Amino acid sequence: QVHLAESGGGSVQIGGSLKLSCAASGYPSSSYCLGWFRQTPGKEREGVAVIEHDGRTDYGDSVKGRFTISQDYAKTTLYLQMDSLKPEDTATYYCVADFPVSPCCYGDAPPSCFNHWGQGTQVTVPS
């Protein structure tokens, strides 16, 4: 059974940094796509970043150059390093998983591509 649990959210000033973590388990290590989505009230969920089992990463256009997705060596924790934060980054951030990896594994893929979701963690960047 896939288990995804986010942590690390909070409030940070404009231009600051925050690192989200996701404890991930129950997915096959040979072929997977893990990622982050975000959502603000009244808007659809937006793809932020993904990482494949082979280490390939991709990002949504709105976060390229500012956010970095990574995994620990044991592949039990997914991270999202967020730098140069803006008020428009304010959202609930979700950890997601899909396996085996599909052509859907790209930064701004639709949420329907991912079958497994965490509960979310709130990030707030006050204007």
Side-chain angles (χ1 to χ4, degrees):
Q1 185 176 358
V2 177
H3 179 68
L4 303 169
E6 305 93 338
S7 61
S11 181
V12 60
Q13 62 185 12
I14 296 173
S17 298
L18 202 61
K19 188 172 186 176
L20 304 182
S21 299
C22 173
S25 62
Y27 63 93
S29 61
S30 58
S31 180
Y32 63 82
C33 179
L34 299 180
W36 293 92
F37 272 72
R38 66 186 182 185
Q39 187 174 28
T40 55
K43 293 186 178 180
E44 294 187 356
R45 292 184 176 184
E46 173 191 13
V48 174
V50 297
I51 185 167
E52 276 192 21
H53 58 275
D54 61 0
R56 183 189 71 85
T57 60
D58 194 30
Y59 298 88
D61 288 341
S62 62
V63 305
K64 282 181 180 177
R66 299 188 299 121
F67 290 11
T68 304
I69 189 171
S70 63
Q71 274 190 287
D72 66 338
Y73 181 78
K75 296 186 177 182
T76 59
T77 306
L78 181 70
Y79 301 103
L80 184 68
Q81 176 66 45
M82 304 184 294
D83 299 319
S84 302
L85 282 162
K86 307 174 182 179
E88 49 264 45
D89 295 318
T90 295
T92 300
Y93 284 72
Y94 297 91
C95 178
V96 298
D98 183 43
F99 50 87
V101 67
S102 74
C104 250
C105 192
Y106 55 93
D108 52 2
S112 58
C113 287
F114 294 87
N115 294 320
H116 305 281
W117 293 72
Q119 293 300 306
T121 186
Q122 178 67 34
V123 172
T124 302
V125 187
S127 57

